[in-house]
Amino acid sequence: MNGILSGLRVVEGSAFVAAPLCGMTLAQMGADVIRFDLPGGGIDYRRWPMAHTGLSIYWASLNKGKRSLVVDFRQPEGQELLSELITAPGDGRGILSTNFPMHGWLDYETLKMRRNDLIAMNIIGNPDGSVAVDYTVNSAVGFPFVTGEGAEEAPVNHVFPGWDVSTGYAAAMGILAAERHRYLTGEGQHVKLSLADVAFATVGNLGYIGEVQINNEERPNVGNSVYGSYGADFATNDGRRVMIIAVSVSQWKKLVDATESAAAMVKLEGELGLDFAKEEHRYEAREPIGEIIAAWCSAHTLAEVRATFEKNNVCWGPYQTFTQMVAEDPRCTPANPLFQEVEQPGIGSYLIPGVPHQFSAVERTHPHSPQLGEHTDEILADDLGLSSGEIGTLHDRSIIAGPK
Amino acid sequence: MNGILSGLRVVEGSAFVAAPLCGMTLAQMGADVIRFDLPGGGIDYRRWPMAHTGLSIYWASLNKGKRSLVVDFRQPEGQELLSELITAPGDGRGILSTNFPMHGWLDYETLKMRRNDLIAMNIIGNPDGSVAVDYTVNSAVGFPFVTGEGAEEAPVNHVFPGWDVSTGYAAAMGILAAERHRYLTGEGQHVKLSLADVAFATVGNLGYIGEVQINNEERPNVGNSVYGSYGADFATNDGRRVMIIAVSVSQWKKLVDATESAAAMVKLEGELGLDFAKEEHRYEAREPIGEIIAAWCSAHTLAEVRATFEKNNVCWGPYQTFTQMVAEDPRCTPANPLFQEVEQPGIGSYLIPGVPHQFSAVERTHPHSPQLGEHTDEILADDLGLSSGEIGTLHDRSIIAGPK
């Protein structure tokens, strides 16, 4: 694979979303990412959604472009092989990414004795190292009480694992920052990044901590509406729904034009003594504004809404189920360079995304996922210099395994 | 500021969440990030939450650690000043990050004529450059129909702007990848990154496109439960709620031990012919399992649940409003190195997060946000070499502005 990160090598011990996504993003950009797993696969090897062939679509989707190495790292010899691989010499090497606890053989100081400039990214749950996952972090940071009909007795969890995904990209960014620093100074780094810190930092970065501490208020639940500006969702007359946004004056004018509601809005402004050029006034009047927009939307089909809004450059989007997204949206087809139809061995052919970044000077690639253990022998021979006899012995003694 | 990215300089033209977060993360890691704005501030300068002093807590929270330059880039002389700054020579310089349309004076090829190895990160809405924001992207990618009570006639928007935050970190990662490539090859890069592609890629990366295309099924709405494993939320007897997760056998055993429900679970397994060591069986039996856990939780206060779950290393978290998070959670205090109490000029003193990454070899810093235009004169003098007379003339002619 050739990509913008070619020459970088990362050894990954991972499960679930954040750590696999970090390594996958690096791999899709051309880094050599070696994911190691126990024989039979890690804790996420059978995670849903599963294909009827018995392979996990989830696992295949989060490990694209990596090489797969199966080593029994419960055994000292397996630990020794991995330690050697993690700390092997060379520019762009000596990088570990893991969401496993860095204890015992994976302890940073222990590994560092073999390579002094080792970079290790350790994705953890809580900053103190205790366990937490996206769901148990999300519950703590306020959002479930202001999502949907979320209320004190019935908070609403998000389903998009946004803390995992944000952490995955932040981890990849942290590895590149540490590697840049090492390139310039020669110094290695042990980086800790917790899901909880990503979430707590985000609440602060959006101003909600300041709102509590400075204003003694907190962001209210306004359902699907946008807080402090204008945005809401509406039904079309063919049973579909659309999300409409007007956070700028320009977006507001386009919406009013597209829905031919200028006269109605002027009348409403007069009645309420408000000026809808101000976003806080649009927010204050969101219910009566919504009645006007709702009447227009409910008189048109989704196709008509789309045609009018596209012509007028309205900021809007249709609601789509996962099936509708795949069936209807041109952004989810090979016409969008993000996607290609790729054959994933053991699962079948389906649309596989590359990295979301489109770099002008390198091509976007669409690698599939490895088979578990597919590259075990290759890595031991090429990267660790073991002979075929030595590799055979390790297989016989169940220290390593190849694909089934 | 001294940090892991010291020596990097990024010029930023931005608004809202993704692009400001990208630059802020780089700045908090020690890069010199210069945000340029029109006189009076950009479209997000008054965004909610607002402090009673008239300054935006939101704006202050997303621009920490940057330098602020106010230039009227509607005027050719303002465009010329910014073009010179963006393309100034030097290692680690020549980097633009923007969510503005890269047309006219901001066109990549035009800027590249001044610096051939320019790196430009352009955060956009849709891959074709058309407008989209977090809300209008989220509506298209399936999640609102499987969140909360989300249904065909009433989809539920997430409130955490997860596509914005993911895109912000992915953009920072993309800039570092491009800068690494430039360092090694001398080649610049125009990078496009759309909110929509981040969202569509994520749906693919989680396996939900494969689920539709391979299985002809889609992820169902299971409310606050975890899909394909065990996780649910419960009330305590003092009116609070907790999220509990058991995605691994080990987490399941800890939960059963902590809630003293081993006998009840064995009985249930027998009745249903299931084996709760298998996560798909825990998922299948999530309702009767939930009744057993609910009975235990409703007999204990949150404090009792916490003590028992911490002792047993259960994977769980309390639900907290934004206010409860600030008032009760030790992770949201200066005891967590993520946070420091910082005085933000014009707003007040409150808890400000640094980057979520904890690097071992550099200290985490907690810069506050600049005043709008605070660094205009300094940047024009130090970075563009203008004399105080020239700077005075630019002020007089309203090409530039300082702080109010």
Side-chain angles (χ1 to χ4, degrees), chain A residues 19 60 84-85 92-93 117 122 155 165 176-177 191 230 282 295 321 329 335 340 352 362 378 380 401:
Chain A
E84 201 181 329
L85 187 66
R93 300 186 169 194
D117 66 352
N122 194 193
V165 173
L176 295 181
V191 196
Y230 190 73
R282 296 195 293 276
T321 63
D329 199 312
Q340 271 184 20
I352 287 190
V362 292
E378 167 191 310
L380 266 56

mmCIF file of all heavy atoms in Angstrom, chain A residues 19 60 84-85 92-93 117 122 155 165 176-177 191 230 282 295 321 329 335 340 352 362 378 380 401:
data_model
loop_
_atom_site.group_PDB
_atom_site.id
_atom_site.type_symbol
_atom_site.label_atom_id
_atom_site.label_comp_id
_atom_site.label_asym_id
_atom_site.label_seq_id
_atom_site.Cartn_x
_atom_site.Cartn_y
_atom_site.Cartn_z
ATOM 1 N N ALA A 19 -9.597 2.213 19.545
ATOM 2 C CA ALA A 19 -8.240 1.797 19.185
ATOM 3 C C ALA A 19 -8.194 1.167 17.791
ATOM 4 O O ALA A 19 -7.311 1.508 16.987
ATOM 5 C CB ALA A 19 -7.665 0.861 20.252
ATOM 6 N N ALA A 60 -14.515 -6.878 10.533
ATOM 7 C CA ALA A 60 -13.932 -6.643 9.199
ATOM 8 C C ALA A 60 -13.928 -5.150 8.870
ATOM 9 O O ALA A 60 -13.010 -4.642 8.229
ATOM 10 C CB ALA A 60 -14.708 -7.419 8.136
ATOM 11 N N GLU A 84 9.621 -7.686 20.919
ATOM 12 C CA GLU A 84 10.664 -7.482 19.925
ATOM 13 C C GLU A 84 10.112 -6.713 18.717
ATOM 14 O O GLU A 84 10.758 -5.808 18.178
ATOM 15 C CB GLU A 84 11.220 -8.842 19.493
ATOM 16 C CG GLU A 84 12.602 -8.749 18.876
ATOM 17 C CD GLU A 84 13.115 -10.124 18.440
ATOM 18 O OE1 GLU A 84 12.764 -11.139 19.084
ATOM 19 O OE2 GLU A 84 13.851 -10.169 17.424
ATOM 20 N N LEU A 85 8.908 -7.071 18.333
ATOM 21 C CA LEU A 85 8.298 -6.409 17.174
ATOM 22 C C LEU A 85 7.982 -4.937 17.489
ATOM 23 O O LEU A 85 8.233 -4.039 16.678
ATOM 24 C CB LEU A 85 7.005 -7.146 16.797
ATOM 25 C CG LEU A 85 6.305 -6.695 15.513
ATOM 26 C CD1 LEU A 85 7.162 -7.012 14.289
ATOM 27 C CD2 LEU A 85 4.933 -7.374 15.398
ATOM 28 N N GLY A 92 10.322 5.607 11.954
ATOM 29 C CA GLY A 92 8.901 5.361 11.711
ATOM 30 C C GLY A 92 8.396 4.115 12.401
ATOM 31 O O GLY A 92 7.207 3.814 12.345
ATOM 32 N N ARG A 93 9.293 3.364 13.037
ATOM 33 C CA ARG A 93 8.886 2.176 13.795
ATOM 34 C C ARG A 93 8.907 2.508 15.289
ATOM 35 O O ARG A 93 9.064 3.655 15.668
ATOM 36 C CB ARG A 93 9.811 1.006 13.481
ATOM 37 C CG ARG A 93 9.765 0.662 12.005
ATOM 38 C CD ARG A 93 10.570 -0.577 11.704
ATOM 39 N NE ARG A 93 10.264 -1.006 10.328
ATOM 40 C CZ ARG A 93 10.579 -2.189 9.833
ATOM 41 N NH1 ARG A 93 11.228 -3.071 10.579
ATOM 42 N NH2 ARG A 93 10.269 -2.503 8.598
ATOM 43 N N ASP A 117 13.336 5.390 22.581
ATOM 44 C CA ASP A 117 12.459 6.423 22.005
ATOM 45 C C ASP A 117 11.089 5.864 21.604
ATOM 46 O O ASP A 117 10.433 6.389 20.708
ATOM 47 C CB ASP A 117 13.143 7.112 20.813
ATOM 48 C CG ASP A 117 13.352 6.168 19.643
ATOM 49 O OD1 ASP A 117 13.104 4.944 19.802
ATOM 50 O OD2 ASP A 117 13.744 6.642 18.560
ATOM 51 N N ASN A 122 -1.802 4.876 24.656
ATOM 52 C CA ASN A 122 -2.656 3.992 25.444
ATOM 53 C C ASN A 122 -4.045 4.615 25.597
ATOM 54 O O ASN A 122 -4.217 5.603 26.313
ATOM 55 C CB ASN A 122 -2.012 3.741 26.823
ATOM 56 C CG ASN A 122 -2.636 2.572 27.589
ATOM 57 O OD1 ASN A 122 -2.383 2.412 28.770
ATOM 58 N ND2 ASN A 122 -3.439 1.752 26.941
ATOM 59 N N PRO A 155 -33.392 9.245 30.670
ATOM 60 C CA PRO A 155 -32.368 9.813 29.787
ATOM 61 C C PRO A 155 -32.280 9.017 28.481
ATOM 62 O O PRO A 155 -32.645 7.839 28.442
ATOM 63 C CB PRO A 155 -31.083 9.654 30.605
ATOM 64 C CG PRO A 155 -31.362 8.541 31.560
ATOM 65 C CD PRO A 155 -32.823 8.618 31.868
ATOM 66 N N VAL A 165 -15.497 7.291 18.437
ATOM 67 C CA VAL A 165 -14.997 7.735 17.131
ATOM 68 C C VAL A 165 -14.095 8.958 17.298
ATOM 69 O O VAL A 165 -13.000 9.032 16.718
ATOM 70 C CB VAL A 165 -16.171 8.001 16.163
ATOM 71 C CG1 VAL A 165 -15.673 8.621 14.856
ATOM 72 C CG2 VAL A 165 -16.920 6.693 15.876
ATOM 73 N N LEU A 176 0.697 10.886 15.630
ATOM 74 C CA LEU A 176 1.450 11.680 14.649
ATOM 75 C C LEU A 176 2.156 12.859 15.309
ATOM 76 O O LEU A 176 3.270 13.224 14.918
ATOM 77 C CB LEU A 176 0.527 12.155 13.524
ATOM 78 C CG LEU A 176 -0.069 11.038 12.650
ATOM 79 C CD1 LEU A 176 -0.939 11.637 11.551
ATOM 80 C CD2 LEU A 176 1.025 10.160 12.038
ATOM 81 N N ALA A 177 1.526 13.451 16.319
ATOM 82 C CA ALA A 177 2.185 14.545 17.055
ATOM 83 C C ALA A 177 3.424 14.020 17.769
ATOM 84 O O ALA A 177 4.489 14.653 17.751
ATOM 85 C CB ALA A 177 1.204 15.172 18.049
ATOM 86 N N VAL A 191 1.775 8.189 25.775
ATOM 87 C CA VAL A 191 0.600 9.045 25.677
ATOM 88 C C VAL A 191 -0.604 8.293 26.233
ATOM 89 O O VAL A 191 -0.854 7.155 25.835
ATOM 90 C CB VAL A 191 0.298 9.446 24.218
ATOM 91 C CG1 VAL A 191 -0.667 10.622 24.184
ATOM 92 C CG2 VAL A 191 1.568 9.739 23.440
ATOM 93 N N TYR A 230 -31.656 28.747 14.756
ATOM 94 C CA TYR A 230 -32.836 28.096 14.204
ATOM 95 C C TYR A 230 -32.514 26.779 13.512
ATOM 96 O O TYR A 230 -31.659 26.710 12.620
ATOM 97 C CB TYR A 230 -33.609 28.990 13.220
ATOM 98 C CG TYR A 230 -34.935 28.330 12.906
ATOM 99 C CD1 TYR A 230 -35.939 28.324 13.871
ATOM 100 C CD2 TYR A 230 -35.131 27.611 11.743
ATOM 101 C CE1 TYR A 230 -37.121 27.627 13.660
ATOM 102 C CE2 TYR A 230 -36.313 26.919 11.528
ATOM 103 C CZ TYR A 230 -37.294 26.932 12.496
ATOM 104 O OH TYR A 230 -38.454 26.225 12.311
ATOM 105 N N ARG A 282 -34.724 34.244 16.212
ATOM 106 C CA ARG A 282 -35.248 33.055 15.511
ATOM 107 C C ARG A 282 -35.435 31.906 16.503
ATOM 108 O O ARG A 282 -36.404 31.156 16.431
ATOM 109 C CB ARG A 282 -34.290 32.611 14.398
ATOM 110 C CG ARG A 282 -34.108 33.614 13.280
ATOM 111 C CD ARG A 282 -33.454 33.007 12.039
ATOM 112 N NE ARG A 282 -32.070 32.571 12.185
ATOM 113 C CZ ARG A 282 -31.006 33.365 12.058
ATOM 114 N NH1 ARG A 282 -31.165 34.650 11.786
ATOM 115 N NH2 ARG A 282 -29.785 32.880 12.181
ATOM 116 N N ALA A 295 -46.124 23.974 7.490
ATOM 117 C CA ALA A 295 -47.231 24.010 6.520
ATOM 118 C C ALA A 295 -46.686 23.863 5.100
ATOM 119 O O ALA A 295 -47.237 23.118 4.284
ATOM 120 C CB ALA A 295 -48.001 25.319 6.663
ATOM 121 N N THR A 321 -33.179 6.112 7.019
ATOM 122 C CA THR A 321 -32.754 4.935 7.768
ATOM 123 C C THR A 321 -31.449 4.435 7.152
ATOM 124 O O THR A 321 -31.040 4.891 6.074
ATOM 125 C CB THR A 321 -33.806 3.810 7.667
ATOM 126 O OG1 THR A 321 -33.900 3.416 6.288
ATOM 127 C CG2 THR A 321 -35.181 4.280 8.160
ATOM 128 N N ASP A 329 -28.974 7.469 -1.295
ATOM 129 C CA ASP A 329 -28.098 8.640 -1.180
ATOM 130 C C ASP A 329 -26.887 8.530 -2.102
ATOM 131 O O ASP A 329 -26.089 7.598 -1.969
ATOM 132 C CB ASP A 329 -27.646 8.802 0.279
ATOM 133 C CG ASP A 329 -27.146 10.209 0.555
ATOM 134 O OD1 ASP A 329 -26.330 10.722 -0.229
ATOM 135 O OD2 ASP A 329 -27.586 10.802 1.558
ATOM 136 N N ALA A 335 -19.938 6.673 -6.736
ATOM 137 C CA ALA A 335 -19.810 8.005 -7.343
ATOM 138 C C ALA A 335 -19.124 8.961 -6.367
ATOM 139 O O ALA A 335 -18.547 9.966 -6.782
ATOM 140 C CB ALA A 335 -21.187 8.547 -7.724
ATOM 141 N N GLN A 340 -15.792 2.423 -2.365
ATOM 142 C CA GLN A 340 -15.660 1.475 -3.471
ATOM 143 C C GLN A 340 -16.354 0.177 -3.085
ATOM 144 O O GLN A 340 -16.432 -0.167 -1.908
ATOM 145 C CB GLN A 340 -14.187 1.176 -3.780
ATOM 146 C CG GLN A 340 -13.564 2.123 -4.787
ATOM 147 C CD GLN A 340 -12.154 1.757 -5.155
ATOM 148 O OE1 GLN A 340 -11.713 0.623 -4.976
ATOM 149 N NE2 GLN A 340 -11.430 2.734 -5.677
ATOM 150 N N ILE A 352 -17.252 -0.224 0.719
ATOM 151 C CA ILE A 352 -16.269 -0.041 1.784
ATOM 152 C C ILE A 352 -15.700 1.368 1.703
ATOM 153 O O ILE A 352 -15.267 1.801 0.641
ATOM 154 C CB ILE A 352 -15.177 -1.134 1.684
ATOM 155 C CG1 ILE A 352 -15.789 -2.468 2.153
ATOM 156 C CG2 ILE A 352 -13.940 -0.762 2.474
ATOM 157 C CD1 ILE A 352 -14.815 -3.590 2.340
ATOM 158 N N VAL A 362 -1.939 12.204 -3.036
ATOM 159 C CA VAL A 362 -1.902 10.732 -2.968
ATOM 160 C C VAL A 362 -3.311 10.208 -3.234
ATOM 161 O O VAL A 362 -4.296 10.873 -2.936
ATOM 162 C CB VAL A 362 -1.425 10.197 -1.592
ATOM 163 C CG1 VAL A 362 0.035 10.504 -1.355
ATOM 164 C CG2 VAL A 362 -2.271 10.745 -0.459
ATOM 165 N N GLU A 378 4.402 -14.262 7.593
ATOM 166 C CA GLU A 378 5.093 -13.195 6.863
ATOM 167 C C GLU A 378 5.785 -12.215 7.820
ATOM 168 O O GLU A 378 6.935 -11.818 7.614
ATOM 169 C CB GLU A 378 4.043 -12.471 6.004
ATOM 170 C CG GLU A 378 4.443 -11.167 5.400
ATOM 171 C CD GLU A 378 3.211 -10.446 4.797
ATOM 172 O OE1 GLU A 378 2.457 -11.074 4.026
ATOM 173 O OE2 GLU A 378 3.010 -9.252 5.125
ATOM 174 N N LEU A 380 6.646 -12.709 11.006
ATOM 175 C CA LEU A 380 7.733 -13.351 11.754
ATOM 176 C C LEU A 380 8.970 -13.558 10.878
ATOM 177 O O LEU A 380 10.101 -13.415 11.357
ATOM 178 C CB LEU A 380 7.262 -14.683 12.364
ATOM 179 C CG LEU A 380 6.756 -14.530 13.810
ATOM 180 C CD1 LEU A 380 5.647 -13.519 13.934
ATOM 181 C CD2 LEU A 380 6.335 -15.868 14.387
ATOM 182 N N ALA A 401 -0.391 -18.565 15.455
ATOM 183 C CA ALA A 401 -1.371 -19.253 14.603
ATOM 184 C C ALA A 401 -1.556 -18.471 13.317
ATOM 185 O O ALA A 401 -1.409 -17.250 13.295
ATOM 186 C CB ALA A 401 -2.703 -19.409 15.333
#
